[in-house]
Amino acid sequence: MPDLETDVLVAGAGPAGLLLAAELALAGVRTTIVERLPERPPYCRGFNLNSRALDLLARRGLAEGLVAEGHRVPHAPVTGLPGPLLLDGAATGHPFSLGIPQTRVEEVLEARARELGVEILRGHDLRSFTQSADDVTTVVHNGQFGRTVRSRFLAGCDGGRSTVRKQAGIGFPGVDARWYALLGDVECELPYGPAAGPDGRSLFVIPRPGYVRIVVREDDPPSDKDTPVTLERLQAQVDAVLGRHVELRAPRWLSRFGDAARLASRYREGRVLLAGDAAHIHPPAGAIGVNVALDDAFNLGWKLAATVRGTAPEGLLDTYHAERHAAGERILANTRAQVALEEAAAEPWADLLRRVAAHPAGNRALAEIITGLDACYEPGGHPWLGRLAPDVPLLVSGVETPLPALLHSGRPVLLDLTPSGSFASWSAGVPVVAATSPSTSDVDAVLLRPDGHVAWVGTSGSGDAGLAEAVHRWVGEVPASV
């Protein structure tokens, strides 16, 4: 007999694992997280939530508090361009990047998961698993003894060196790192921004509360890239770049990263699924890491929950790979292009791209590409179809209601925008919300997936043509309550 039984076992308590677990629990699915580390690391990997991540979190009521705490920047993070990619006019309800520590984002997501009943077992290292046609049996160790966990599904959110991915036999093709950089959270007297030395090499200094983060390309990295980074190593690299000595003190975190780019060959193997860094690694250009991890989890959560509950239409879970693997390919292409742009400053094509970015329409288009705001899971047809529903102003029962608020429960919604409430009696089991909006004169109704993407659009005069097929494809049987 297993020591523990659960519906879904999630490996990894980073952003992807925490959000995925919360999404599953919201749908009434028993969920357990196992995390190798006994507590959250004291260092912070990233400090940015982009517009799309905020739009997604808003669909569960999780964005507002983070926005109130963070620092708004009206452009998208990008590498290799001389000027910012402004988000004014972009297809988002959050036309800014939010400066906020990843550690704080994880705190909010963990509180959400625990509130919904997720069990989090820290200090538990996943060692092995076997899967059958009906379940997955996983062995975890807490440093003293092992225990077995039986679950319906296993989700690997355990980072770029994912044990789950490796043991599932899922390939991780891509390109090895061509260069490595050192990252150090230290105290020093270097000012914010790039600092160049006499030979043209440069480093970057980012201010943080009480310290700075230094990023410097590593000259002659060790053959074993797992060799620990020391303060002496970072000091030597900084001195070499600047051509002078600037004392580095009190290291909080020292690390090494490269420009490797890899994408899992598949995001699902039977009852095993991957999300976040377990599914893809890429250069840090554009500060996209935590954001795409949240995107994966948000896409997977409702589909896996419906599968566990037995309400999912045939093939729904397979659409996770279809949608997010393609998104992963675009992310790898985007980040590698930014690195190439930075390295080829004098190339004609780089100058051409900069001139495109200088044009307002080109600037906005590039910003949407870099942040994933251009994501469309069903191209063609109405401009809304397959995209995250725009945050149009709504009146619901005479009350101003933001569109994301309609999705806080994690259920699909049929939004009826006709003056007479033509879809009120539509009887496919999907909750119907009657609303009016001054900016949707050509749209009669919209079927919203639980993740806020548009699954069907009814335009003026088309009635409910195609609606039944869309519900059958994306919703299947809708339970009366969770």
Side-chain angles (χ1 to χ4, degrees), residues 374-423:
D374 67 332
C376 180
Y377 296 142
E378 213 162 340
H382 192 276
W384 289 9
L385 187 63
R387 297 183 180 274
L388 200 62
D391 192 3
V392 296
L394 298 175
L395 280 178
V396 179
S397 300
V399 178
E400 291 187 7
T401 305
L403 184 144
L406 304 181
L407 296 160
H408 284 185
S409 68
R411 302 181 67 195
V413 170
L414 178 59
L415 182 59
D416 183 353
L417 296 167
T418 60
S420 58
S422 302
F423 292 83

Side-chain angles (χ1 to χ4, degrees), residues 57-238:
L57 292 171
R59 268 68 185 163
R60 297 296 184 265
L62 295 172
E64 184 176 350
L66 292 170
V67 170
E69 293 183 32
H71 174 66
R72 303 187 191 193
V73 179
H75 54 77
V78 67
T79 300
L81 290 175
L85 293 179
L86 298 176
L87 288 158
D88 183 32
T92 176
H94 299 84
F96 51 85
S97 300
L98 187 70
I100 191 166
Q102 180 176 321
T103 48
R104 178 56 184 151
V105 176
E106 291 179 0
E107 288 174 359
V108 170
L109 294 177
E110 181 169 337
R112 165 79 162 182
R114 290 187 184 277
E115 176 187 354
L116 293 168
V118 173
E119 183 178 14
I120 302 177
L121 302 176
R122 292 191 176 272
H124 283 67
D125 186 21
L126 186 150
R127 297 290 181 86
S128 64
F129 66 84
T130 58
Q131 63 169 313
S132 69
D134 301 314
D135 55 31
V136 182
T137 300
T138 303
V139 177
V140 298
H141 280 248
N142 74 347
Q144 298 180 0
F145 57 87
R147 62 195 305 191
T148 59
V149 183
R150 185 164 63 196
S151 59
R152 299 273 302 280
F153 289 90
L154 170 63
C157 304
D158 51 341
R161 301 181 181 183
S162 170
T163 299
V164 174
R165 184 190 65 240
K166 293 173 183 176
Q167 293 205 7
I170 298 175
F172 205 38
V175 295
D176 292 332
R178 298 171 300 129
W179 52 258
Y180 286 86
L182 300 181
L183 179 154
D185 288 344
V186 298
E187 295 177 9
C188 73
E189 274 62 57
L190 284 171
Y192 164 71
D199 65 353
R201 293 176 62 202
S202 64
L203 54 82
F204 204 86
V205 180
I206 307 167
R208 294 300 170 212
Y211 64 96
V212 298
R213 172 163 291 182
I214 294 178
V215 179
V216 58
R217 188 77 66 91
E218 187 174 23
D219 182 37
D220 189 26
S223 57
D224 182 0
K225 306 309 183 294
D226 293 329
T227 300
V229 178
T230 63
L231 182 62
E232 291 73 21
R233 175 67 174 172
L234 179 64
Q235 181 76 69
Q237 294 294 298
V238 170

Side-chain angles (χ1 to χ4, degrees), residues 271-315:
R271 292 183 172 272
V272 178
L273 301 112
L274 304 176
D277 289 350
H280 39 68
I281 59 171
H282 46 78
I288 196 70
V290 65
N291 298 285
V292 68
L294 296 176
D295 213 338
D296 287 347
F298 212 71
N299 187 288
L300 175 59
W302 65 278
K303 296 173 180 178
L304 183 53
T307 303
V308 171
R309 291 172 59 85
T311 62
E314 184 177 356

Side-chain angles (χ1 to χ4, degrees), residues 220-269:
D220 189 26
S223 57
D224 182 0
K225 306 309 183 294
D226 293 329
T227 300
V229 178
T230 63
L231 182 62
E232 291 73 21
R233 175 67 174 172
L234 179 64
Q235 181 76 69
Q237 294 294 298
V238 170
D239 290 353
V241 168
L242 296 179
R244 59 190 174 91
H245 180 71
V246 175
E247 185 180 359
L248 310 182
R249 307 179 303 274
R252 289 163 168 79
W253 183 37
L254 301 172
S255 185
R256 175 184 288 110
F257 65 87
D259 69 333
R262 296 187 176 279
L263 181 67
S265 56
R266 54 193 183 279
Y267 282 21
R268 179 187 179 189
E269 176 61 35

